Amino acid sequence: MAQPVGEHVGPMPYAALNSAFDALHPPGLQHYWKAAYVTELTDEAIAAHLEHGPRVPAVSSVMHLYPINGAAHDVAPDATAFGHRDATFAAVIAGMWPDPADNEANTHWVRDYHAAIAPHSAPGGYTDFASADDAPKVAENHGANYQRLREVKRQWDPGNLFHLNQNIRP
């Protein structure tokens, strides 16, 4: 098992956090991302990560596993827009590479990786990490709160002005 090469636990100014990876991810990179919610890291899920993670095709492509715990689990799922409070992790496969000629290979890596972890994941994924072709999964991404969010959208944005990316239709 590999040893961590770095970690940070503690307060950090937002500007420092927001720029922490700027050198690894300069402007102009191609991007294709997929996300999944995970309630348990089973042996099978870990095996899928161990199989696909090392196949990363570009140094700037990564897989993040964000914990969802603590205060996130203290709030009722229907209390806010975030409806996946039963998840314990958000898995994010972030394909990022410089040359558009490599789009097919890099997109393929993200899709294969995501398909391998999907059977070990809960429905949906964190909306901020979704690609354009994930638009049909908007309802899954918001879980049980989707219908309520549509009602809010009908009331506050009936003309669907805010319609880009992962749109909730009024």
Side-chain angles (χ1 to χ4, degrees):
M1 175 179 272
Q3 295 297 312
V5 294
E7 73 177 68
H8 174 84
V9 176
M12 175 185 266
Y14 179 76
L17 174 64
N18 197 38
S19 62
F21 299 102
D22 285 357
L24 286 174
H25 306 293
L29 290 178
Q30 308 297 301
H31 288 264
Y32 186 77
W33 297 33
K34 295 277 183 199
Y37 289 117
V38 180
T39 55
E40 181 182 0
L41 286 175
T42 63
D43 290 344
E44 294 83 6
I46 292 168
H49 287 291
L50 291 173
E51 178 184 346
H52 292 274
R55 295 180 185 170
V56 63
V59 69
S60 51
S61 292
V62 297
M63 193 291 294
H64 298 168
L65 194 59
Y66 295 102
I68 302 173
N69 55 24
H73 288 207
D74 293 342
V75 177
D78 63 352
T80 68
F82 182 64
H84 291 278
R85 294 183 184 276
D86 58 335
T88 52
F89 296 98
V92 180
I93 305 158
M96 298 170 278
W97 60 97
D99 190 347
D102 297 328
N103 285 3
E104 185 176 336
N106 285 275
T107 300
H108 187 60
W109 173 74
V110 174
R111 287 182 176 156
D112 282 354
Y113 197 155
H114 186 261
I117 66 168
H120 316 290
S121 303
Y126 197 75
T127 301
D128 288 354
F129 302 128
S131 289
D133 62 353
D134 288 320
K137 291 175 45 175
V138 169
E140 277 184 17
N141 292 344
H142 291 287
N145 295 342
Y146 180 68
Q147 288 306 322
R148 191 179 86 209
L149 292 169
R150 285 195 71 196
E151 292 169 17
V152 169
K153 182 82 177 243
R154 272 189 221 104
Q155 181 180 359
W156 293 96
D157 186 19
N160 205 20
L161 177 66
F162 300 102
H163 64 277
L164 301 177
N165 297 324
Q166 302 299 313
N167 185 35
I168 296 172
R169 296 186 191 280

